[in-house]
Amino acid sequence: MIQKEAILLKPGRMTTMNDLPRDLVEEILFRVPLTSLGAIRSTCKNWNVLSKKQIIGKKATAARKQFLGFIMMDYRVCSIKFDLQNEGEFVDPSIKQVDILNQVEISRVIHCDGLLLCVTKDSSRLVVWNPYLGKTRWIQPRTSFHRSDRYALGCDENRNHKILRIFGDSGYSQDFGYEIYNFSSNSWKVFYATPGWSIEFCHPQSGVSLKGNAYFLAQTHKTVEAQMRGEVLLPFDFRMEKFRAELPLPFHSYGADSFLSLSCVREEQLAVLYEGWRCGHTVEIWVTNKIDLGSVSWSMFLRSISSCHLSPLGRSFFIDEERKFGVVFDLDNEFPKNNTPCNQTANIIGQDGYFKSVNIREAKIYRKPHRFGKILLYYLQPLVCSSSYVPSLVHLQQINQPHSG
């Protein structure tokens, strides 16, 4: 409950928004959807300041124990807000579709520094969105975008934001390379390479941005010395605009016997989810103790040996460090059969085999042409792209035609 304070009103003086008690203003601001923050800023000077500090800042989040961020559901970007209590209860979820992007279907979302990079469903366009300022910027390709492209969003030491686009197949194509889009110069720069690794394009959670740089889950290629492909963590340096040496993961994984996914923890650490079947079914979540472009150390956050099986097609997740829970977004029915209903779910994994699946909403069924004239039916997994959103004041000036370099 809000503790009401008496407000002394003077005769002949109009009460203004600045006269409202601070705790009442904070409560009002806290209830404002993330996507309406831009409008709040223009209300009055004090509300502008409080909107930055109190709505989604560390103080408010720590006090309320709420998770605030964005999730992609049914090709739409939505804001998400909920509590996760000590008993593993998924309380008061609030999911609202983003109006500013409601005219376009989105297939992937990458978060960095308060900005969201969105890839359209047909993979032909990119748009960067600042939720706090309510502004977007469409990014034109140097030549064209492709559905197998992999992306990352980052910045250099001067906070100049850049987009990394990885194209081609490093394992089978001579046309493998990457290009960098610079927001400041509105230009693309292209690089070609022959690396000893490959990055899966089919899994949207194979890469994340952290502290201005990007990290990908990659597989090393077979060599005479190494007869098996191994999973590694691959850093990309946005300052130098190049990939750095592979970093080790805290477990041995060789693709076929496991599935991995990456996530950020408060934009300060990385977390990796491992699901393996080599010696029984195991789900592990590891968190970095220290990470930079040249080194990494890990500690076990959670290990669960239970009957919970997660879909390998989506599997985005985040962790609650204080309560020792992992929340994995998934489907309760991966493959459509006989029009069986399917729910998009939040799977809560805890210690000592704790597992609870919470239905978020019913999943839509999609159809697309397949081989031999058949129609393929499928559901779409929810993909969380940020669970600890912090606002950004980066302005996204729209420029129509990019330059190539």
Side-chain angles (χ1 to χ4, degrees):
M1 292 293 293
I2 304 170
Q3 183 178 358
K4 294 181 171 60
E5 298 177 1
I7 304 175
L8 181 62
L9 302 180
K10 296 181 179 180
R13 179 179 180 272
M14 181 180 293
T15 303
T16 67
M17 301 177 77
N18 287 329
D19 294 321
L20 296 176
R22 180 175 176 129
D23 60 347
L24 176 58
V25 174
E26 291 177 1
E27 184 71 20
I28 293 171
L29 294 179
F30 184 79
R31 295 176 183 274
V32 174
L34 292 175
T35 52
S36 300
L37 295 180
I40 289 295
R41 296 177 62 245
S42 60
T43 305
C44 71
K45 188 174 182 179
N46 287 342
W47 284 44
N48 179 28
V49 174
L50 286 175
S51 71
K52 299 175 187 177
K53 294 182 178 179
Q54 299 298 133
I55 301 178
I56 48 181
K58 292 182 180 179
K59 179 180 177 182
T61 303
R64 306 279 185 156
K65 308 300 183 185
Q66 282 205 334
F67 291 85
L68 304 149
F70 293 92
I71 189 170
M72 191 192 75
M73 305 182 75
D74 299 318
Y75 295 116
R76 302 294 182 182
V77 179
C78 303
S79 63
I80 181 170
K81 179 192 295 186
F82 63 89
D83 285 317
L84 188 62
Q85 296 185 350
N86 291 329
E87 299 78 14
E89 294 293 329
F90 192 76
V91 181
D92 297 329
S94 173
I95 298 175
K96 297 182 179 180
Q97 185 174 317
V98 173
D99 291 336
I100 199 170
L101 298 174
N102 63 6
Q103 298 300 318
V104 60
E105 292 185 306
I106 301 297
S107 63
R108 279 178 283 174
V109 181
I110 299 99
H111 171 252
C112 175
D113 197 25
L115 303 178
L116 298 183
L117 171 62
C118 306
V119 185
T120 59
K121 181 183 175 183
D122 62 4
S123 303
S124 66
R125 295 182 293 169
L126 303 179
V127 59
V128 180
W129 175 45
N130 185 327
Y132 181 63
L133 299 182
K135 301 297 182 181
T136 60
R137 176 168 171 173
W138 290 91
I139 307 299
Q140 302 295 327
R142 181 178 60 89
T143 54
S144 62
F145 301 130
H146 191 270
R147 72 177 187 87
S148 63
D149 293 340
R150 287 126 291 174
Y151 296 95
L153 185 62
C155 60
D156 60 24
E157 70 277 16
N158 297 317
R159 310 305 293 173
N160 295 317
H161 287 80
K162 303 177 182 181
I163 296 173
L164 167 67
R165 171 185 174 248
I166 306 170
F167 59 86
D169 189 326
S170 61
Y172 305 97
S173 173
Q174 299 298 317
D175 191 31
F176 172 82
Y178 63 92
E179 56 185 17
I180 302 292
Y181 175 81
N182 190 310
F183 281 65
S184 300
S185 63
N186 185 39
S187 62
W188 288 97
K189 207 188 315 185
V190 63
F191 304 83
Y192 292 94
T194 307
W197 43 258
S198 58
I199 301 172
E200 292 186 25
F201 71 87
C202 59
H203 180 46
Q205 297 303 116
S206 62
V208 296
S209 297
L210 179 70
K211 299 178 182 178
N213 294 306
Y215 295 86
F216 295 91
L217 292 172
Q219 281 193 334
T220 57
H221 294 167
K222 291 181 181 180
T223 63
V224 174
E225 295 80 11
Q227 292 298 312
M228 298 185 69
R229 294 162 58 96
E231 302 276 358
V232 295
L233 186 66
L234 182 67
F236 183 83
D237 185 341
F238 273 96
R239 182 179 68 87
M240 300 296 294
E241 298 185 344
K242 67 178 184 179
F243 288 96
R244 301 289 288 268
E246 301 96 344
L247 299 175
L249 291 169
F251 41 73
H252 296 291
S253 172
Y254 300 100
D257 65 342
S258 60
F259 191 86
L260 313 180
S261 183
L262 276 180
S263 180
C264 280
V265 184
R266 294 176 285 99
E267 299 193 27
E268 298 175 1
Q269 300 167 281
L270 285 186
V272 59
L273 182 148
Y274 165 88
E275 184 176 17
W277 300 273
R278 174 174 291 186
C279 301
H281 178 255
T282 303
V283 175
E284 296 177 355
I285 298 178
W286 294 74
V287 177
T288 56
N289 299 315
K290 173 190 173 183
I291 184 168
D292 55 43
L293 292 169
S295 63
V296 65
S297 63
W298 301 87
S299 62
M300 171 79 76
F301 173 76
L302 187 66
R303 189 170 192 264
S304 176
I305 302 176
S306 67
S307 59
C308 65
H309 288 271
L310 308 172
S311 166
L313 300 179
R315 192 149 343 141
S316 60
F317 76 101
F318 70 89
I319 66 171
D320 184 332
E321 296 173 280
E322 180 180 341
R323 299 178 180 85
K324 284 284 185 178
F325 286 113
V327 180
V328 186
F329 292 87
D330 207 345
L331 296 171
D332 64 1
N333 175 23
E334 187 176 331
F335 302 105
K337 293 181 180 179
N338 302 321
N339 295 320
T340 303
C342 173
N343 292 304
Q344 295 173 330
T345 61
N347 296 325
I348 304 169
I349 303 172
Q351 301 181 84
D352 302 321
Y354 179 89
F355 177 79
K356 182 176 182 178
S357 183
V358 179
N359 290 342
I360 301 175
R361 68 182 186 187
E362 186 172 340
K364 295 181 180 179
I365 190 167
Y366 292 92
R367 295 170 173 82
K368 65 179 180 181
H370 197 44
R371 292 179 298 177
F372 310 115
K374 294 184 177 180
I375 300 297
L376 179 65
L377 305 179
Y378 68 99
Y379 297 116
L380 195 66
Q381 286 80 5
L383 295 174
V384 64
C385 50
S386 170
S387 63
S388 54
Y389 178 78
V390 176
S392 169
L393 294 176
V394 174
H395 289 273
L396 299 172
Q397 181 182 0
Q398 180 62 57
I399 303 174
N400 293 324
Q401 295 299 326
H403 308 285
S404 58

